[in-house]
Amino acid sequence: MTKLMPKLELSLKSIIIGVVLAILLCGANMYLGLKIGTTISASIPASIISLGILRMFRKYSILENNISQTIASAGEGLAGVIIFVFPALLILGVWKDFHYSELLFLGLCGGFIGIAYSVLLRRVLLKDPNLPFPEGNAIGQVLLATNNTQDKTGFKTIISGIGIAALINLCQNGLKVLGDSYYKFFKVNNSVVGMGTSFSPAVIGSGFLIGGNTIVAFIGLLIGWLILLPYFATKYGLKDANDLVGSAFFTWKNYVRPVGIGVFLFSGVATILMMSKSIVTAIQESIAALRNINEIDHSERDLNIKKLMILVVLCIIPVGFFIYSHLVQLNVSSNAMSAFYAVMLSLLVLVLGFIIAAVAGYMVGMIGSSNSPLSGLYFIAVIILSLVLKALAGEVIGSEIVTYLMALVILLVGFIGFSAVITNENIQDFKSGQIVGATPYKQQISLFIGVICAMILAPFMINLVFNAYGIAGVVPHPGIDPNNTLSAPQASAIAMITKNVLHGSQDWNLMGLGILIGAITFTLDLIGKKSGKFRTPAIMMGLGLYLPPDLVTGLFIGGMISVFIKRRHRKLQHEIGVEAVKKLENRTNILICGLVAGESLMGLILAVPFVIKQSSDALRVVGESFEGTSQVLSLIVIMLLVRYIYRTATKDSN
């Protein structure tokens, strides 16, 4: 008979399971994030999978499970920074592929500093009564419920979701017998309108996890593609009247997407301003915790803050030398002034990293890590650093200097991202750990393990994905169609903002329009929040304008499935009881996480034959004439999948 051992926590098996999951979910999120611009939180799938594996041992503990998911979340978070920031260097032509040494260096230094930030913020954020921590609480309750029974339903459900989505993705992107999307465009006078939808289980699943807020994203899509696109196409003309699809996307990328970036910027700034009081409180209480470190109960004890601060200094010193080496290459000031600027920039990235970590941690407490607006915060960092470095370089900037500046801006934004993402991803693991009685400092030790293991392998994985699919129109070899590369939406935006600000060619009017739309959306959100009747998150409006239309439509479909199922659950409460409905909700969310993870993992697996054959058609078994049939078949498969999701969500197994 299995014997539970509550004292087992930072054990060898929990570490090994966590490291394996960190590597898998890191790779999976690289594919997913480059494709649709969002990642799946590793906490839910990692917690279910690790618990299923731990049950194979005679002795195990729920605390070991928490350690495993904490390590996995660190890997997933670092993957998010790599895919959201560093492809910009490819897009701008600074890199030809991903540089292992620089990614490893910035990832380890930034990640270690991020752990220190998370320790400073943990206690303050977790005890804030205004933060519900929806994902952290959900994970903690699921762990408590599943740990007290031998029911293996959750493990079986997530494995089935992974298998189904992996098979669909194999047929869509590997064998090509199923279509992954559908588009239709029309020419109207001198303009163009059109729409599309995705048949991706991961996209639909991501929409399900976001829920009803995808309505706002879909409204953004309608504004972008039915109002702004025709307007700009009429104003500036079609690039090629014989290529409606190419002309539509050209106009969208150059005139509509910057509007979406403006919405992201407003969302990020508004969040920081609204949180300014909480950020100050977090700093004050963290300093107070330093004075009372010996009075803190063992169950609430963190790693030694003073030693972590020493670690921060040890990490920022080589970063300062890294900045100095780039400034010297600019040759726009003396070595002494370059050293002074390097110190100031090092302090700036430390402060920006902490502010972004605090804002992200607060947003995770409000809406979960899946919906945290990190992208908007990265854009703010890009603009600040671009303006600062442009000022340091002086009025006259040659093309070679601009290249150095672009590289430095993006590398420093990546460092800021690495330092902030740990709080964004792992603060909810601290919350679930609090619920199950985990020891904070042991979780924090596990973060170091997750950061080190993920960063050793992550650069290899991102190069594998790049060589298999290409990124944002940049292809590593002729066997890839530039029009079918992974979109990397955040990195594309970072590249565009960096280039335009440094060249002085940024069209602030388009961003201004986005800021106006963001302000209107934000105001409506405040009204809806106060009334309790609706929400209109500005970040979702930005996604609707910024992401390709097929992805937004797929997210919307998933969100509407979620809304419909939630309504059904409310009715079922009267028939089968609240507890039974909670089990259905947990099972459904686990299935959806499996679907998202399954497609992403298959995408990573498919990268291997694609790289070997130097073509994304390496496994194709049908010709291009089969495209129409493949789209019809995909529609049928997705309808069957939706039916399966509905049955899982509404069929009581008791």
Side-chain angles (χ1 to χ4, degrees), residues 84-119:
F84 290 162
V85 177
F86 292 96
L89 293 168
L90 297 179
I91 297 168
L92 293 171
V94 178
W95 283 0
K96 299 301 180 183
D97 56 14
F98 293 93
H99 295 183
Y100 182 90
S101 58
E102 288 181 280
L103 287 177
L104 180 63
F105 166 70
L106 293 174
L108 291 180
C109 291
F112 290 169
I113 291 173
I115 295 172
Y117 289 163
S118 71
V119 173

Side-chain angles (χ1 to χ4, degrees), residues 351-373:
V351 172
L352 282 176
F354 182 77
I355 292 175
I356 292 176
V359 174
Y362 192 88
M363 291 305 296
V364 168
M366 287 293 295
I367 59 176
S369 65
S370 300
N371 300 319
S372 182

